[in-house]
Amino acid sequence: MSAVHTRIAPTPSGYLHKGNAYNFLLAQQLVKENGGTLRLRIDDSDTVRSKPEYLQDIFDCLHWLGIEWHKGPQTVKEQQENYNQQLRLPRYHQLIEELIATNKVYACNCSRKEILTHHNGHYPGTCRHKNTRLHQPDMSLRLLVPEGTTIHFKDKLKGNVHIDISQTLGDFIIRRRDGLPAFHTVSLVDDTDFEINTVVRGEDLLESTAAQLYMSRLLGLDTFNQIQFYHHPLFRDEQGNKLSKSAGSLSLKWMRENGIQAKDIFA
């Protein structure tokens, strides 16, 4: 395997848990075994959910775990002043405009609550044919996914993956109603611009990977299309639920504060 250029991409929207730790350590191990670089990319584009205490927790956890990264912020101050994703908003919106040029983007005023309540979370294409002007207040932008759009890619851990995103995701959001770029847009842009060739993710993000590959193929972003993906199994609580950012005694913060050593968290 050639040199690995990967990233860890925590979100400052809650305290990190052991699932995050596994992800970080796996990414670091791939770099150690193959050479290359590890980038810290803090996904703080969601200004509503991002909190200073969670940002501090990211750095506390990384130092406690012994993670060493080569690129990205080394301190909270550096993140806030030089790496905050708000600084990259023009670049994210540039990609949105490029997607608009494919004639597969439309405006949508459906609320998340409405979709969850009446459509079980799967967007049915309500606004697809309304021809609403794109750049209006309180409108999200969705990317049209024709029926039968199946994304194929090879995952280093799961083998050949085939996902019909017209059934699993439907027409997904690329810009939110508040005008901020959606997760898929931000992640695709940053992985492309930072020349990432390896992405380590939980298996719950398989559909997200498929969505981003759909976007990249529409735009001919060859570097993203050639990324090697590692989708690892999730850690779950005693009830079998995947760990969340409110993981209580399973949070790394709780472990640190209760004298647990980083080397023992997977024992």
Side-chain angles (χ1 to χ4, degrees):
M1 184 174 176
S2 58
V4 167
H5 300 289
T6 189
R7 81 295 195 274
I8 52 179
T11 303
S13 58
Y15 293 115
L16 301 183
H17 52 68
K18 66 187 297 183
N20 300 120
Y22 181 80
N23 178 276
F24 301 162
L25 291 167
L26 177 55
Q28 177 176 250
Q29 187 61 32
L30 287 172
V31 173
K32 285 184 175 180
E33 290 178 355
N34 300 282
T37 56
L38 179 63
R39 172 183 287 273
L40 172 60
R41 187 189 83 205
I42 296 177
D43 283 349
D44 59 2
S45 62
D46 188 337
T47 55
V48 175
R49 300 179 63 200
S50 298
K51 305 295 182 186
E53 60 268 31
Y54 301 143
L55 178 58
Q56 182 62 57
D57 180 65
I58 289 172
F59 287 94
D60 293 342
C61 288
L62 292 175
H63 293 310
W64 181 66
L65 291 167
I67 302 292
E68 298 179 356
W69 62 98
H70 309 95
K71 297 183 178 182
Q74 294 296 320
T75 65
V76 167
K77 188 172 185 289
E78 280 191 21
Q79 171 62 26
Q80 294 171 328
E81 294 181 355
N82 301 320
Y83 291 91
N84 189 298
Q85 288 180 325
Q86 293 296 304
L87 300 172
R88 289 178 52 75
L89 285 178
R91 179 67 181 96
Y92 303 140
H93 288 296
Q94 177 187 344
L95 183 112
I96 290 169
E97 291 299 323
E98 291 171 2
L99 287 169
I100 288 173
T102 69
N103 295 316
K104 290 184 179 294
V105 174
Y106 63 89
C108 172
N109 62 357
C110 298
S111 69
R112 179 179 176 84
K113 181 179 180 181
E114 175 187 348
I115 296 168
L116 288 172
T117 302
H118 299 292
H119 306 289
N120 297 317
H122 187 277
Y123 182 68
T126 306
C127 297
R128 183 184 279 191
H129 302 297
K130 289 184 177 180
N131 295 319
T132 305
R133 287 190 298 110
L134 297 181
H135 297 296
Q136 295 188 70
D138 202 33
M139 287 279 182
S140 62
L141 294 183
R142 291 184 179 272
L143 184 62
L144 188 150
V145 181
E147 185 176 351
T149 300
T150 300
I151 302 299
H152 309 271
F153 65 94
K154 188 167 186 178
D155 185 82
K156 300 293 285 187
L157 297 178
K158 302 189 75 66
N160 293 320
V161 178
H162 314 280
I163 299 177
D164 182 347
I165 59 173
S166 67
Q167 296 299 314
T168 60
L169 290 176
D171 299 345
F172 57 87
I173 290 176
I174 59 171
R175 193 196 71 193
R176 303 181 344 180
R177 293 180 71 167
D178 59 8
L180 289 175
F183 165 74
H184 296 311
T185 302
V186 171
S187 188
L188 173 60
V189 168
D190 284 357
D191 284 338
T192 301
D193 287 0
F194 297 150
E195 300 182 333
I196 299 300
N197 66 12
T198 304
V199 168
V200 180
R201 284 176 165 165
E203 61 187 7
D204 59 327
L205 291 178
L206 279 165
E207 291 179 2
S208 295
T209 296
Q212 291 158 32
L213 283 168
Y214 175 61
M215 295 165 70
S216 71
R217 291 169 187 177
L218 282 177
L219 298 176
L221 301 178
D222 291 338
T223 53
F224 189 87
N225 296 332
Q226 295 168 10
I227 285 177
Q228 296 189 82
F229 292 98
Y230 290 74
H231 288 84
H232 58 75
L234 302 181
F235 282 84
R236 300 186 180 275
D237 61 21
E238 294 179 355
Q239 289 72 45
N241 301 311
K242 75 173 186 177
L243 299 186
S244 70
K245 290 290 183 63
S246 55
S249 64
L250 295 176
S251 74
L252 302 184
K253 181 177 186 292
W254 186 93
M255 294 179 187
R256 292 196 315 272
E257 293 176 349
N258 284 271
I260 297 175
Q261 299 296 310
K263 64 182 179 63
D264 295 327
I265 63 176
F266 298 113

